[in-house]
């Protein structure tokens, strides 16, 4: 048969995380710690706002950029919480989740042959976004156990073709949260070498131990060069609602809006109203979820560290643990497969996040404490049954 798929499609593959989610969905009795999604229900006031909006007739297309009242609320939030000054008319776009914010951004700024430096271990979708835009992914391998943003190593990766550096702060899968010094150093390099910085901040609120989260776009020198992506998915347990946003200078925003109009025209207006209720409403629901993640993190890290051959640091942010499993003597893909088949616990192999993720597993703590303890018990039994090394 003639090849009917485009070369563009053939240059990418389905995300390994997506593949696993589909496989685990078909496997009974598995404790799923693989998916990056909060296990909480969307808070009631947000759901009610969507119902009200539907009843009030918010059922038509909106401006591609998003409802003005939502963009204004986002601008206020950015100023108050992130110290980012953004014009809601020309610099903020409401998108179909963080995914469409990222896809539109890559399509808007990357030309074939442009190099995109991405910190690694990394969420695998950046690879797909880069390839689909014709860009060349340049991994910047960061070091275990806490994976700080190493600006010296970054300098070595910069070439005349570097168009953009992608940081995910807080980081999926490592849980790293970058310090003001690391961000300032990155900003200096961006200025010196004239590249863009895309900061994916979808986990900004899920931080622990009083670790502050800083946005690189708040630095004066980054006003024209930073692109900030955020989403309602993780903060408000709204993954299925598909509402996110992207903040960039006027020129880049006009490109992003053009691309987003071809993807989706606009985000469902009732769900934009729900996002408005989320961003302007009480935030005790968010604090409650973050407190629960922290308790789960502390409990699960302690239990994992009681298993011989496993080591796990306490991540500063996100709802992921990234234990070091090199002591098992298995490649991470093999370890994840055996743990899935024999222990009935679904995790993601570290190698899915790039070669520097090898030797680790990603485990989401977006499950009840009972399930997390049971999962660790099953993994402990699996390790005990391994042939002696
Ligand atoms: N960025 C990161 C780092 C993520 O982990 C995810 C979801 N797993 C997203 C962006 C996109 O999420 P959404 O489209 O639901 O906002």
């Amino acid at each position: 048969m003639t090849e009917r798929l485009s070369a563009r499609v053939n240059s990418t593959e389905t995300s390994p995380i997506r593949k696993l989610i589909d496989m685990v969905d078909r496997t009974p009795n598995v404790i799923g710690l693989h998916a990056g999604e909060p296990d909480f229900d969307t808070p009631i006031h947000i759901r009610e706002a969507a119902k009200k909006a539907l009843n009030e007739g918010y059922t038509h297309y909106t401006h591609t950029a998003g409802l003005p009242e939502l963009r204004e609320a986002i601008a206020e939030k950015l100023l108050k919480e992130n110290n980012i000054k953004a014009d809601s008319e020309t610099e903020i776009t409401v998108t179909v989740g963080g995914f469409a914010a990222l896809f539109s951004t890559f399509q808007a700024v990357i030309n074939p042959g442009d190099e995109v430096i991405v910190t690694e271990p990394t969420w695998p979708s950046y690879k797909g976004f880069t390839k689909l835009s014709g860009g060349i992914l340049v991994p910047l391998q960061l070091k275990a156990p806490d994976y700080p943003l190493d600006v010296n190593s970054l300098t070595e990766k910069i070439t005349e073709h570097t168009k953009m550096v992608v940081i995910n702060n807080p980081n999926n899968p490592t849980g790293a949260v970058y310090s003001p010094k690391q961000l300032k150093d990155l900003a200096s390099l961006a200025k010196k070498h004239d590249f863009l910085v895309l900061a994916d901040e979808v986990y900004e609120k899920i931080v622990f131990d009083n670790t502050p989260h800083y946005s690189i776009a708040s630095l004066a020198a980054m006003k024209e060069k930073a692109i900030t992506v955020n989403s309602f998915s993780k903060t408000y347990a709204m993954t299925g609602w598909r509402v996110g946003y992207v903040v960039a200078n006027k020129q880049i925003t006009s490109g992003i809006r053009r691309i987003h109009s071809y993807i989706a025209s606009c985000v469902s207006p009732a769900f934009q109203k729900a996002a408005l209720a989320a961003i302007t409403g009480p935030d005790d629901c968010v604090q409650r979820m973050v407190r629960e993640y922290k308790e789960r993190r502390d409990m699960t890290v302690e239990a994992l560290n009681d298993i011989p051959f496993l080591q796990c640091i306490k991540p500063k942010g996100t709802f992921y643990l990234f234990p070091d499993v090199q002591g098992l003597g298995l490649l991470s893909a093999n370890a994840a497969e055996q743990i899935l088949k024999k222990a009935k616990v679904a995790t993601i192999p570290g190698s899915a996040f790039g070669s520097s993720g090898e030797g680790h597993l990603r485990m989401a703590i977006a499950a009840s404490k009972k399930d997390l303890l049971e999962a660790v018990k099953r993994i402990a039994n699996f390790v005990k049954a391994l042939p002696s090394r």
Side-chain angles (χ1 to χ4, degrees):
M1 198 173 84
T2 25
E3 176 59 87
R4 294 216 168 89
L5 288 177
S6 67
R8 197 170 43 258
V9 163
N10 285 330
S11 76
T12 61
E13 44 189 54
T14 305
S15 153
I17 301 182
R18 198 66 255 166
K19 274 192 208 155
L20 212 100
I21 291 172
D22 294 346
M23 187 171 112
V24 173
D25 282 350
R26 297 190 303 268
T27 320
N29 302 323
V30 166
I31 300 178
L33 307 184
H34 56 300
E37 78 159 329
D39 56 319
F40 302 106
D41 289 332
T42 304
I44 184 83
H45 68 281
I46 301 174
R47 285 182 273 151
E48 289 300 335
K51 286 191 213 163
K52 183 163 174 280
L54 286 172
N55 289 336
E56 284 174 355
Y58 281 87
T59 52
H60 300 271
Y61 291 133
T62 69
H63 188 298
T64 289
L67 291 170
E69 59 265 42
L70 176 56
R71 278 183 281 136
E72 279 156 27
I74 291 169
E76 256 175 57
K77 177 257 181 225
L78 288 167
L79 192 60
K80 196 166 112 215
E81 296 182 359
N82 306 85
N83 201 19
I84 297 174
K85 240 191 229 146
D87 176 8
S88 64
E89 279 281 314
T90 58
E91 296 178 323
I92 296 171
T93 309
V94 179
T95 56
V96 181
F99 264 99
L102 289 162
F103 184 85
S104 306
T105 302
F106 275 81
Q107 293 294 323
V109 302
I110 300 301
N111 277 314
D114 283 347
E115 292 175 4
V116 180
I117 302 178
V118 181
T119 61
E120 195 193 88
T122 178
W123 182 48
S125 298
Y126 300 128
K127 193 169 159 191
F129 296 131
T130 306
K131 287 216 166 149
L132 289 171
S133 65
I136 297 166
L137 186 119
V138 179
L140 169 66
Q141 294 171 328
L142 302 179
K143 295 211 173 58
D146 46 8
Y147 304 94
L149 188 59
D150 178 358
V151 180
N152 290 332
S153 307
L154 172 61
T155 310
E156 291 164 21
K157 302 278 177 182
I158 297 168
T159 72
E160 58 183 306
H161 303 293
T162 305
K163 180 71 180 275
M164 186 160 80
V165 171
V166 179
I167 57 169
N168 176 209
N169 179 32
N171 186 273
N172 169 11
T174 68
V177 181
Y178 301 135
S179 70
K181 161 98 174 70
Q182 289 165 1
L183 297 175
K184 274 189 194 141
D185 288 350
L186 173 57
S188 306
L189 278 184
K191 191 166 173 207
K192 185 169 166 203
H193 298 279
D194 191 24
F195 56 74
L196 299 168
V197 175
L198 170 56
D200 177 344
E201 303 189 347
V202 302
Y203 296 98
E204 66 164 347
K205 299 262 180 161
I206 307 174
V207 284
F208 313 118
D209 313 325
N210 299 318
T211 307
H213 169 267
Y214 294 99
S215 295
I216 192 162
S218 65
L219 301 173
M222 292 304 290
K223 175 72 191 139
E224 292 300 311
K225 290 192 179 333
I227 301 165
T228 307
V229 166
N230 211 326
S231 164
F232 292 83
S233 289
K234 318 288 175 171
T235 304
Y236 300 99
M238 289 176 71
T239 43
W241 296 69
R242 315 308 305 127
V243 193
Y245 57 93
V246 49
V247 188
N249 73 34
K250 189 173 167 182
Q251 187 194 33
I252 294 176
T253 294
S254 74
I256 288 171
R257 288 179 181 178
R258 208 174 308 159
I259 299 291
H260 196 259
S261 74
Y262 282 105
I263 300 175
S265 178
C266 65
V267 176
S268 152
F271 289 2
Q272 291 191 58
K273 279 295 212 185
L276 180 63
I279 203 167
T280 54
D283 81 341
D284 52 335
C285 51
V286 179
Q287 286 171 28
R288 241 193 331 271
M289 289 189 264
V290 174
R291 252 196 322 270
E292 174 69 18
Y293 288 134
K294 184 192 173 301
E295 286 175 18
R296 294 175 185 176
R297 176 201 68 164
D298 292 347
M299 181 197 82
T300 314
V301 166
E302 195 181 319
L304 282 171
N305 281 327
D306 279 343
I307 304 178
F309 312 110
L310 256 61
Q311 285 164 28
C312 189
I313 61 152
K314 275 189 189 173
K316 294 279 181 217
T318 74
F319 44 66
Y320 304 110
L321 305 182
F322 202 52
D324 180 336
V325 298
Q326 289 176 83
L328 299 182
L330 300 169
L331 285 174
S332 63
N334 193 354
E337 194 183 333
Q338 289 202 40
I339 288 172
L340 177 59
K341 285 197 180 134
K342 296 184 183 162
K344 299 258 185 261
V345 177
T347 61
I348 307 274
S351 56
F353 304 93
S355 59
S356 51
E358 187 47 89
H360 293 255
L361 294 177
R362 190 191 79 174
M363 300 168 64
I365 47 171
S368 69
K369 287 180 183 142
K370 184 169 158 275
D371 277 357
L372 285 167
L373 283 180
E374 172 62 20
V376 177
K377 198 167 112 194
R378 292 184 188 183
I379 294 172
N381 288 336
F382 162 78
V383 173
K384 226 188 269 170
L386 278 176
S388 56
R389 276 137 298 214

